[in-house]
Amino acid sequence: MCKQLALVLTLLAISLGHAAAAASVRMKVMHVDAGRGLTNRELLQRLSSRSKARAARLLPKAASAPVTPGAIPGAVPDTEYLAHLAIGTPPQPVQLTLDTGSDLVWTQCRPCISCFRQALPYFDPSLSSTFAGVPCRSTACQSLRKPSCVRSPRGQQACAYSYSYADGSVTIGRIEADTVTFDGHTATAVTGVSFGCGHDNTGIFESNETGIVGFGRGFLSLPSQLKVGNFSHCFTTITGAAAPSAVLLGLPANLYNSARGVVQTTPLVRNPPRNPNFYYVSLRGITVGSTRLPVPESAFTLRDDGDGGTIIDSGTGMTSLPEDVYKLMREAFVAQVRLRVYNVRSLSQLCFAAPSSSTAKPDDVPKLLFHFEGATLDLPRENYMFDAVEEGRSITCLAINAGGGSMTIVGNYQQQNMHVLYDLANGKLSFVPAQCEKL
Ligand SMILES: *[C@@H]1O[C@H](CO)[C@@H](O)[C@H](O)[C@H]1NC(C)=O
Ligand SMILES: *[C@@H]1O[C@H](CO)[C@@H](O)[C@H](O)[C@H]1NC(C)=O
């Protein structure tokens, strides 16, 4: 009897220790440029270069160039949103780059072999009473691409990892498990979350982050570990006061009700061989004003070799289109806009001279619609035009880039004040206009 009880308790302890329970949590994320006091012109410039950097990282690497760890000349950070969480008991705050394109959750850990500078103290495992190792044979360890077993200082087996990103950034350390607290409330603590304790971290980390929180489709991502059937995000306006944004994991549908529009739903598609972590969607076409761009559907669809296709990515600012599609979009804008093209040196965006900023601009630029399988993204003007002042002149620029590859990436500038739901359980993506600062 006693033995049986002990066995049950042991099994319970193992399951609690090595696998997080299903949870419903709300996480606060901040836009990387929030509170820096930048002008719109500066925000636009930074958004544009981050988006290009991100696209360059997501696009061609899988096929060609080998990754050189740590060597990233002239690189620009590509963080867009920072998630504020805490790890350990008592909770130690961390701020992690939200990344729907990768799966590992990691933060820099003491003792550091090589750590980049961060504003917060490094996570110190010795200060956490709930910190625990993860066995090599665990699913968490085995789901790494190259798991390896090492001896921990305490003589136990430990799971070592080395995780690299397409831009050459690398984190090396051990997979460990600890309690994660969301939004500062211990009521939202989830026990036994596996994460990378990074002792040796190199790359460009200049956005006040302490690590990365992977939201991709792999086993180690936060949504997978919390065993939620869905997650959603609602990004507030990027310019202006820049209020915190919310990421909801496994929360009820009533949060999703909106009086501002009809919920649009499109299937999520997988691309296991090439990019198993990415969230692919089926984009069919784009309409600018009265013109459906003369692009064959195949320009947006996944090829047999895993190349091409369309993904939705929280880590990309401006939407990135294949070069030829972008050219057609640009022509369609120039043909239908009621404003004069205004070339801005040092900005590759298509910009127009805008009437004095205070005057209303109902239809000075054509409408923009993205047609997905079963869903239409009808963008409000502020989700594709960026208003700024260039040398005393009001301008408005198209916040869409040519990425240079064959993949289309739907970025987060296009998703402002839009509640976007990743319904993982049913393989669907839904979105609806929302007032994100009120969510
Ligand atoms: C960086 O992080 C620290 C600690 O959370 C915070 O106090 C500071 O305001 C942040 N700085 C920027 C520029 O985001
Ligand atoms: C998300 O998952 C939770 C937990 O399973 C469920 O209660 C909720 O209704 C789902 N939300 C949506 C919007 O489907």
Side-chain angles (χ1 to χ4, degrees), residues 5 11 35 71-72 81 122 140 161 170 246 276 283 296 298 334 339 377 381 420 439:
L5 184 62
L11 288 176
I72 315 144
Y81 287 92
Y122 295 121
Y161 77 88
V170 180
L283 180 62
S298 59
V334 172
L339 307 170
L377 176 59
R381 186 190 192 281
V420 182
L439 192 81

Side-chain angles (χ1 to χ4, degrees), residues 73-389:
V76 180
D78 67 353
T79 294
E80 284 288 318
Y81 287 92
L82 278 184
H84 295 264
L85 314 169
I87 303 179
T89 311
Q92 300 177 39
V94 295
Q95 36 204 31
L96 309 177
T97 296
L98 180 69
D99 187 11
T100 45
S102 63
D103 60 352
L104 185 66
V105 181
W106 67 272
T107 194
Q108 300 202 91
C109 268
R110 279 189 192 287
C112 281
I113 296 168
S114 166
C115 291
F116 52 87
R117 274 187 26 196
Q118 61 176 59
L120 295 168
Y122 295 121
F123 178 79
D124 189 343
S126 71
L127 301 179
S128 173
S129 62
T130 41
F131 183 82
V134 163
C136 296
R137 58 178 189 287
S138 65
T139 321
C141 189
Q142 292 305 317
S143 51
L144 291 165
R145 207 179 303 161
K146 281 178 273 169
S148 74
C149 282
V150 293
R151 289 237 157 253
S152 78
R154 281 163 282 163
Q156 288 144 331
Q157 256 197 2
C159 173
Y161 77 88
S162 168
Y163 196 95
S164 53
Y165 298 84
D167 69 348
S169 302
V170 180
T171 171
I172 297 169
R174 297 211 189 101
I175 302 291
E176 315 276 11
D178 208 339
T179 300
V180 172
T181 312
F182 297 84
D183 226 9
H185 306 300
T186 40
T188 65
V190 178
T191 57
V193 175
S194 301
F195 70 103
C197 219
H199 301 290
D200 185 356
N201 315 293
T202 45
I204 4 152
F205 297 99
E206 288 164 12
S207 307
N208 218 10
E209 69 275 69
T210 69
I212 295 179
V213 54
F215 262 66
R217 307 178 91 166
F219 180 85
L220 287 169
S221 79
L222 190 66
S224 300
Q225 289 203 58
L226 298 187
K227 299 189 177 65
V228 291
N230 59 60
F231 70 87
S232 65
H233 54 61
C234 203
F235 296 136
T236 60
T237 311
I238 290 169
T239 54
S245 299
V247 176
L248 312 175
L249 290 125
L251 279 160
N254 60 10
L255 272 167
Y256 201 62
N257 290 345
S258 168
R260 300 182 97 212
V262 180
V263 177
Q264 301 283 324
T265 300
T266 187
L268 282 172
V269 184
R270 281 187 187 272
N271 183 7
R274 184 60 76 86
N275 288 312
N277 266 315
F278 291 175
Y279 295 97
Y280 283 87
V281 286
S282 299
L283 180 62
R284 300 280 194 238
I286 298 175
T287 296
V288 174
S290 56
T291 319
R292 174 111 174 189
L293 300 184
V295 181
E297 265 181 29
S298 59
F300 304 115
T301 44
L302 259 178
R303 310 212 183 117
D304 290 339
D305 63 1
D307 206 359
T310 303
I311 64 166
I312 177 161
D313 180 35
S314 64
T316 298
M318 295 181 190
T319 291
S320 170
L321 298 172
E323 195 78 47
D324 46 344
V325 178
Y326 176 76
K327 263 201 197 125
L328 292 167
M329 175 180 281
R330 196 186 155 99
E331 280 165 20
F333 262 90
V334 172
Q336 297 177 61
V337 75
R338 300 194 178 162
L339 307 170
R340 195 164 47 80
V341 173
Y342 190 86
N343 289 317
V344 182
R345 255 183 300 134
S346 78
L347 253 190
S348 53
Q349 305 310 124
L350 171 64
C351 295
F352 305 101
S356 66
S357 59
S358 55
T359 52
K361 14 190 161 146
D363 54 358
D364 55 359
V365 294
K367 282 192 69 59
L368 179 60
L369 280 82
F370 281 71
H371 308 281
F372 296 96
E373 181 182 339
T376 303
L377 176 59
D378 181 350
L379 293 164
R381 186 190 192 281
E382 63 272 21
N383 279 17
Y384 61 97
M385 298 308 295
F386 200 119
D387 297 333
V389 174

Side-chain angles (χ1 to χ4, degrees), residues 25-92:
V25 293
R26 184 191 169 94
M27 198 168 91
K28 185 177 97 170
V29 301
M30 290 298 287
H31 188 260
V32 69
D33 283 340
R36 287 184 199 253
L38 301 170
T39 64
N40 275 15
R41 175 67 175 79
E42 289 163 326
L43 287 170
L44 174 59
Q45 178 91 56
R46 291 166 60 89
L47 182 67
S48 172
S49 28
R50 280 197 312 271
S51 307
K52 290 219 185 75
R54 173 79 171 177
R57 274 161 216 169
L58 293 183
L59 293 171
K61 295 287 164 39
S64 56
V67 169
T68 318
I72 315 144
V76 180
D78 67 353
T79 294
E80 284 288 318
Y81 287 92
L82 278 184
H84 295 264
L85 314 169
I87 303 179
T89 311
Q92 300 177 39

